[in-house]
Amino acid sequence: TQLLEQSPQFLSIQEGENLTVYCNSSSVFSSLQWYRQEPGEGPVLLVTVVTGGEVKKLKRLTFQFGDARKDSSLHITAAQPGDTGLYLCAGDNFGNEKLTFGTGTRLTIIP
Amino acid sequence: NAGVTQTPKFRILKIGQSMTLQCTQDMNHNYMYWYRQDPGMGLKLIYYSVGAGITDKGEVPNGYNVSRSTTEDFPLRLELAAPSQTSVYFCASSYAGAQDNEKLFFGSGTQLSVL
């Protein structure tokens, strides 16, 4: 079973600050997805990265896939209360029909 | 389109009782999944299906059963509820599998407590 460790597990910062959360594994993944989950709802896909070293931007969110395809990061610039939620990374292990989900980072942005 | 619909939203069971969590999707997706999410944790795969009539075990299948008689429906059955099954259950669907970088569409979850 491939394990995806996310850090930090919890993060609470003031509105306007920048932050980075990480998704790490000892295994290589063919692609990684990032989801955000709000209380009482299911996760919603933010982005998929498929190429080693790839960087994707979604407004104030920047996602990067590691060169070796074993890790990924999510950087948020000027965090806003609407960014609050549980951020989950999920990896596809080369031809596997199902995703492996990470342990999650619970982010709270304080107004 | 309603997307992925789960019922019920909340349920309390006594130890040893049984129940079925319902999941239906109207997107004509081939793949369907059941996950459980324990407090403060990520998602663990219980069972999944790549099409009607086909099911397979995930990471944590013990104590659960599934069936997939139609493309739309993928019910999850708990036969003898145990406190360890207290969790939030999510159903998800996708048109193709993870190998095709397909996104998952999730339902809004069923919160189950076993007392």
Side-chain angles (χ1 to χ4, degrees):
Chain A
T1 301
Q2 287 71 37
L3 196 62
L4 279 168
E5 295 282 352
Q6 292 187 243
S7 61
Q9 187 176 0
F10 300 95
L11 182 59
S12 182
I13 65 170
Q14 295 287 337
E15 180 177 0
E17 292 184 352
N18 301 333
L19 67 106
T20 302
V21 298
Y22 301 92
C23 172
N24 294 295
S25 176
S26 58
S27 301
V28 177
F29 290 90
S30 62
S31 67
L32 267 175
Q33 297 181 348
W34 283 91
Y35 289 80
R36 179 168 65 208
Q37 183 181 13
E38 298 185 11
E41 297 295 328
V44 175
L45 181 70
L46 296 173
V47 77
T48 302
V49 285
V50 298
T51 305
E54 181 177 4
V55 176
K56 278 192 174 178
K57 293 194 174 185
L58 186 66
K59 297 183 181 177
R60 293 175 294 100
L61 279 61
T62 302
F63 303 84
Q64 184 161 10
F65 200 11
D67 290 341
R69 292 177 161 178
K70 292 183 178 181
D71 55 87
S72 182
S73 63
L74 159 59
H75 181 79
I76 301 179
T77 303
Q80 298 179 2
D83 296 326
T84 293
L86 178 67
Y87 287 80
L88 295 162
C89 64
D92 159 39
N93 185 36
F94 289 101
N96 205 330
E97 295 167 319
K98 50 199 185 297
L99 291 173
T100 298
F101 276 84
T103 50
T105 292
R106 189 164 297 279
L107 176 63
T108 303
I109 308 302
I110 304 166
Chain B
N1 287 348
V4 179
T5 303
Q6 291 183 238
T7 57
K9 288 193 71 67
F10 303 94
R11 183 72 186 268
I12 298 175
L13 285 181
K14 294 183 179 179
I15 294 172
Q17 286 186 320
S18 61
M19 76 164 294
T20 300
L21 282 66
Q22 301 292 345
C23 175
T24 188
Q25 52 90 9
D26 62 359
M27 298 174 282
N28 201 32
H29 283 171
N30 296 311
Y31 287 67
M32 295 188 75
Y33 311 82
W34 275 105
Y35 290 91
R36 60 176 286 173
Q37 185 175 41
D38 297 326
M41 303 295 287
L43 300 168
K44 292 185 178 180
L45 184 64
I46 305 171
Y47 271 96
Y48 70 104
S49 168
V50 302
I54 305 169
T55 63
D56 210 344
K57 296 179 180 179
E59 300 174 70
V60 289
N62 291 343
Y64 307 94
N65 280 298
V66 293
S67 59
R68 184 96 183 270
S69 56
T70 67
T71 299
E72 295 78 20
D73 300 306
F74 191 41
L76 177 71
R77 177 97 179 146
L78 282 71
E79 289 294 349
L80 290 170
S84 61
Q85 294 178 305
T86 293
S87 190
V88 181
Y89 291 83
F90 287 99
C91 178
S93 73
S94 62
Y95 183 73
Q99 71 273 26
D100 296 313
N101 301 323
E102 283 286 325
K103 67 183 273 189
L104 298 185
F105 292 81
F106 283 85
S108 56
T110 294
Q111 188 168 328
L112 176 67
S113 295
V114 182
L115 306 175

